[in-house]
Amino acid sequence: MPNWCESCLKAEGDRKDVDTFLSECFSANENKRKTLDFEKIIPLGEPGEDWYDQHRDNWGTKWNVSDCDIDDDGGPVTVWFETAWSPPIPILEALTKKYTALSFTLEYNEGGMGFRGVFESRQGEVIRDDSWEMTREDMVELGYLDVDADEDEEATGGN
């Protein structure tokens, strides 16, 4: 069972370009809900014996998107989703090259391994691709560490 990397992707630009991105890169999942689909961005076809390496090398993660939610109120689109173990940086690089009129920002965090990061692109160019180990403040902000419980434990000596 993997650790889940939580991601928030924002796509901004002219509405016509955003609509093209939505129609070309999303599909209906098993519950008939719209979901980001890596296979539509970087098609891999039928998985072979080396499916794990194929996915990691091409998508940056073990599986396609899980638990996808979309906020599309007619402006920038925000997509929240999870991936196994790591963020889908190769997917973002492919989106950057294909949809040069759009700006993409991906913020991600993986609490089990304690890292987070940001990927940003504008006009077909990557302008930021950073990741770092989470600090205590990051862990509190993201809800991985309960400060009140931690302070209670310190006050009682862990009893």
Side-chain angles (χ1 to χ4, degrees):
M1 183 163 158
N3 290 345
W4 292 104
C5 184
E6 300 169 345
S7 295
C8 177
L9 172 64
K10 292 187 181 180
E12 300 179 70
D14 182 77
R15 188 62 210 191
K16 178 177 77 66
D17 297 315
V18 171
D19 287 342
T20 299
F21 162 66
L22 289 171
S23 69
E24 293 178 352
C25 297
F26 289 74
S27 63
N29 67 12
E30 62 277 358
N31 298 321
K32 298 188 172 127
R33 292 184 61 205
K34 188 184 252 190
T35 188
L36 183 62
D37 187 349
F38 295 164
E39 187 69 29
K40 289 186 167 233
I41 300 163
I42 301 176
L44 300 180
E46 290 298 314
E49 288 181 28
D50 64 344
W51 71 267
Y52 179 83
D53 292 333
Q54 185 182 25
H55 286 170
R56 291 273 307 158
D57 292 347
N58 290 283
W59 294 348
T61 185
K62 183 177 179 179
W63 296 310
N64 210 330
V65 169
S66 179
D67 295 330
C68 186
D69 287 311
I70 302 167
D71 182 4
D72 180 14
D73 60 5
V77 171
T78 303
V79 184
W80 294 272
F81 61 92
E82 295 180 346
T83 51
W85 299 106
S86 55
I89 299 300
I91 293 292
L92 269 292
E93 292 168 343
L95 290 173
T96 296
K97 289 177 187 171
K98 183 171 183 177
Y99 301 98
T100 58
L102 295 179
S103 296
F104 293 100
T105 302
L106 179 75
E107 295 181 357
Y108 57 88
N109 61 81
E110 205 278 66
M113 297 301 292
F115 70 87
R116 71 188 301 190
V118 175
F119 177 99
E120 292 179 280
S121 66
R122 305 281 180 269
Q123 299 174 334
E125 297 293 325
V126 175
I127 59 171
R128 183 176 180 196
D129 184 3
D130 292 323
S131 64
W132 58 92
E133 287 186 31
M134 283 190 207
T135 63
R136 176 178 167 77
E137 292 77 21
D138 291 331
M139 297 292 271
V140 170
E141 172 193 339
L142 296 167
Y144 294 116
L145 182 62
D146 184 351
V147 176
D148 294 332
D150 193 40
E151 288 173 358
D152 288 344
E153 187 173 309
E154 288 176 14
T156 62
N159 296 326

